[in-house]
Amino acid sequence: MASLSLSFTSMSLRPPELSSGNGNYGNILRKKPFSVSVAANSPAPQEKPEIELEFIGPKAESDGSYPLETAKAISGEKLLRNIMLDNKIELYATYGKVMNCGGGGSCGTCIVEIIDGKDLLNERTNTELRYLKKKPESWRLACQTIVGNKENSGKVVVQRIPQWKK
Protein backbone atom coordinates (compact mmCIF):
# COMPACT_ATOMS: atom_id res chain seq x y z
CA MET A 1 0.00 0.00 0.00
CA ALA A 2 1.40 3.40 -1.00
CA SER A 3 0.71 6.47 1.05
CA LEU A 4 0.80 10.10 0.18
CA SER A 5 1.25 12.98 2.58
CA LEU A 6 0.11 16.48 1.72
CA SER A 7 0.61 19.67 3.72
CA PHE A 8 -1.74 22.64 3.58
CA THR A 9 -2.08 25.93 5.34
CA SER A 10 -5.51 27.03 6.45
CA MET A 11 -6.30 30.69 6.69
CA SER A 12 -8.88 32.35 8.84
CA LEU A 13 -9.94 35.96 8.63
CA ARG A 14 -10.74 37.79 11.81
CA PRO A 15 -12.46 41.17 11.97
CA PRO A 16 -10.16 44.06 13.07
CA GLU A 17 -12.05 44.60 16.31
CA LEU A 18 -11.07 41.09 17.44
CA SER A 19 -7.38 41.42 16.65
CA SER A 20 -4.90 43.14 18.97
CA GLY A 21 -7.39 45.90 19.74
CA ASN A 22 -5.09 48.71 18.53
CA GLY A 23 -6.74 49.06 15.14
CA ASN A 24 -3.74 47.45 13.51
CA TYR A 25 -4.90 45.21 10.71
CA GLY A 26 -1.69 43.17 10.67
CA ASN A 27 -3.26 40.42 12.75
CA ILE A 28 -6.29 39.92 10.51
CA LEU A 29 -4.79 36.93 8.74
CA ARG A 30 -3.85 33.92 10.85
CA LYS A 31 -2.34 30.80 9.34
CA LYS A 32 -2.73 27.35 10.88
CA PRO A 33 -0.72 24.51 9.34
CA PHE A 34 -2.25 21.05 9.03
CA SER A 35 -1.49 17.91 7.04
CA VAL A 36 -3.48 15.13 5.41
CA SER A 37 -2.39 11.55 4.79
CA VAL A 38 -4.02 9.55 2.03
CA ALA A 39 -3.67 5.80 1.65
CA ALA A 40 -3.78 4.62 -1.94
CA ASN A 41 -4.85 1.00 -1.96
CA SER A 42 -7.61 1.21 -4.53
CA PRO A 43 -7.24 -1.34 -7.34
CA ALA A 44 -5.91 -0.23 -10.70
CA PRO A 45 -8.67 0.90 -13.04
CA GLN A 46 -9.98 -1.96 -15.14
CA GLU A 47 -9.28 -1.82 -18.82
CA LYS A 48 -12.37 -1.27 -20.91
CA PRO A 49 -13.34 -4.19 -23.17
CA GLU A 50 -12.23 -3.86 -26.77
CA ILE A 51 -13.72 -4.94 -30.05
CA GLU A 52 -11.33 -5.98 -32.80
CA LEU A 53 -12.50 -5.16 -36.30
CA GLU A 54 -11.43 -6.53 -39.67
CA PHE A 55 -12.51 -4.73 -42.83
CA ILE A 56 -12.52 -6.68 -46.08
CA GLY A 57 -12.03 -4.61 -49.22
CA PRO A 58 -14.78 -4.55 -51.85
CA LYS A 59 -12.73 -5.76 -54.80
CA ALA A 60 -10.25 -8.60 -55.19
CA GLU A 61 -6.67 -7.73 -55.99
CA SER A 62 -4.86 -9.19 -59.03
CA ASP A 63 -3.89 -12.33 -57.09
CA GLY A 64 -7.54 -12.95 -56.14
CA SER A 65 -7.14 -11.98 -52.48
CA TYR A 66 -9.18 -9.23 -50.85
CA PRO A 67 -7.40 -6.40 -49.04
CA LEU A 68 -7.83 -6.53 -45.27
CA GLU A 69 -7.57 -3.64 -42.82
CA THR A 70 -7.86 -3.82 -39.03
CA ALA A 71 -8.84 -1.51 -36.19
CA LYS A 72 -9.72 -1.70 -32.49
CA ALA A 73 -12.39 0.17 -30.57
CA ILE A 74 -13.51 0.38 -26.96
CA SER A 75 -16.76 -1.52 -26.67
CA GLY A 76 -19.89 0.63 -26.88
CA GLU A 77 -18.18 3.99 -27.38
CA LYS A 78 -18.27 4.57 -31.14
CA LEU A 79 -20.31 4.13 -34.27
CA LEU A 80 -18.85 1.91 -36.97
CA ARG A 81 -18.77 4.91 -39.33
CA ASN A 82 -16.57 6.92 -36.94
CA ILE A 83 -14.20 4.01 -36.35
CA MET A 84 -13.74 3.61 -40.11
CA LEU A 85 -13.21 7.33 -40.71
CA ASP A 86 -10.85 7.69 -37.71
CA ASN A 87 -8.74 4.82 -39.09
CA LYS A 88 -8.89 6.10 -42.68
CA ILE A 89 -10.70 2.98 -43.86
CA GLU A 90 -12.69 3.56 -47.04
CA LEU A 91 -16.40 3.59 -46.29
CA TYR A 92 -18.17 5.16 -49.24
CA ALA A 93 -18.52 4.24 -52.90
CA THR A 94 -17.82 7.06 -55.33
CA TYR A 95 -21.30 8.60 -55.13
CA GLY A 96 -21.32 8.39 -51.32
CA LYS A 97 -18.02 10.25 -51.00
CA VAL A 98 -19.70 13.34 -52.42
CA MET A 99 -23.34 12.87 -51.44
CA ASN A 100 -23.22 11.35 -47.92
CA CYS A 101 -25.22 12.97 -45.11
CA GLY A 102 -22.30 13.10 -42.67
CA GLY A 103 -23.63 10.34 -40.44
CA GLY A 104 -27.15 11.58 -39.94
CA GLY A 105 -28.82 8.42 -41.20
CA SER A 106 -30.64 10.15 -44.02
CA CYS A 107 -28.89 8.95 -47.18
CA GLY A 108 -28.10 5.22 -46.96
CA THR A 109 -24.64 5.52 -48.56
CA CYS A 110 -22.61 3.96 -45.72
CA ILE A 111 -23.76 0.39 -46.27
CA VAL A 112 -21.53 -2.40 -44.93
CA GLU A 113 -22.07 -6.12 -44.54
CA ILE A 114 -21.38 -7.81 -41.22
CA ILE A 115 -19.69 -11.13 -42.03
CA ASP A 116 -19.03 -12.14 -38.42
CA GLY A 117 -19.68 -10.68 -34.96
CA LYS A 118 -23.25 -9.46 -35.47
CA ASP A 119 -23.96 -10.23 -31.80
CA LEU A 120 -21.38 -7.58 -30.78
CA LEU A 121 -23.41 -4.80 -32.44
CA ASN A 122 -26.65 -3.04 -31.60
CA GLU A 123 -29.90 -4.16 -33.25
CA ARG A 124 -30.92 -2.51 -36.52
CA THR A 125 -32.39 0.93 -35.90
CA ASN A 126 -35.66 2.21 -37.40
CA THR A 127 -33.59 4.18 -39.91
CA GLU A 128 -31.86 0.98 -41.01
CA LEU A 129 -35.15 -0.90 -41.22
CA ARG A 130 -36.40 1.80 -43.61
CA TYR A 131 -33.28 2.03 -45.83
CA LEU A 132 -32.40 -1.66 -45.82
CA LYS A 133 -35.83 -3.31 -45.96
CA LYS A 134 -35.05 -5.08 -49.25
CA LYS A 135 -31.40 -5.81 -48.42
CA PRO A 136 -29.90 -8.87 -46.70
CA GLU A 137 -30.15 -8.98 -42.86
CA SER A 138 -26.36 -8.82 -42.67
CA TRP A 139 -26.27 -5.35 -44.25
CA ARG A 140 -26.04 -2.37 -41.92
CA LEU A 141 -25.64 1.40 -42.10
CA ALA A 142 -22.29 2.22 -40.52
CA CYS A 143 -23.68 5.52 -39.16
CA GLN A 144 -26.32 3.63 -37.16
CA THR A 145 -24.20 0.72 -35.94
CA ILE A 146 -22.77 0.91 -32.42
CA VAL A 147 -19.76 -1.36 -31.99
CA GLY A 148 -20.07 -3.19 -28.66
CA ASN A 149 -22.20 -2.51 -25.59
CA LYS A 150 -19.54 -1.32 -23.08
CA GLU A 151 -19.31 -4.83 -21.58
CA ASN A 152 -18.66 -7.24 -24.45
CA SER A 153 -15.48 -7.88 -26.38
CA GLY A 154 -14.66 -9.91 -29.45
CA LYS A 155 -14.13 -9.61 -33.17
CA VAL A 156 -16.32 -8.14 -35.90
CA VAL A 157 -15.62 -8.80 -39.59
CA VAL A 158 -17.00 -6.17 -41.96
CA GLN A 159 -17.30 -6.29 -45.75
CA ARG A 160 -16.84 -2.76 -47.06
CA ILE A 161 -19.11 -1.55 -49.88
CA PRO A 162 -20.92 -4.90 -50.27
CA GLN A 163 -22.87 -3.66 -53.29
CA TRP A 164 -19.60 -3.92 -55.27
CA LYS A 165 -19.02 -7.55 -54.34
CA LYS A 166 -19.31 -10.02 -57.19
Side-chain angles (χ1 to χ4, degrees), residues 13-25 27-28:
L13 295 176
R14 299 182 60 164
E17 61 272 5
L18 297 177
S19 61
S20 63
N22 63 5
N24 181 354
Y25 294 178
N27 289 335
I28 293 176

Side-chain angles (χ1 to χ4, degrees), residues 111 124 127-139:
I111 294 173
R124 271 189 174 184
T127 300
E128 289 179 287
L129 293 173
R130 184 173 62 249
Y131 278 102
L132 302 174
K133 63 184 165 194
K134 295 182 180 179
K135 303 292 185 195
E137 280 293 314
S138 59
W139 286 25

Side-chain angles (χ1 to χ4, degrees), residues 20-118:
S20 63
N22 63 5
N24 181 354
Y25 294 178
N27 289 335
I28 293 176
L29 190 60
R30 291 214 173 150
K31 297 180 181 181
K32 299 177 188 173
F34 69 94
S35 65
V36 174
S37 291
V38 178
N41 67 350
S42 59
Q46 288 186 333
E47 289 188 27
K48 295 180 179 180
E50 280 189 336
I51 306 289
E52 294 179 42
L53 297 114
E54 286 186 358
F55 298 93
I56 302 169
K59 293 184 178 180
E61 296 182 351
S62 59
D63 65 358
S65 68
Y66 285 84
L68 186 68
E69 296 177 80
T70 61
K72 286 186 179 182
I74 294 174
S75 182
E77 291 196 358
K78 284 193 172 184
L79 292 167
L80 184 57
R81 175 186 187 273
N82 296 345
I83 293 167
M84 293 178 75
L85 294 177
D86 290 350
N87 288 280
K88 298 180 180 13
I89 296 171
E90 185 180 20
L91 171 60
Y92 299 106
T94 307
Y95 174 79
K97 289 177 184 175
V98 179
M99 301 302 293
N100 74 78
C101 67
S106 60
C107 69
T109 60
C110 61
I111 294 173
V112 296
E113 181 176 8
I114 306 303
I115 305 298
D116 192 26
K118 176 184 174 186

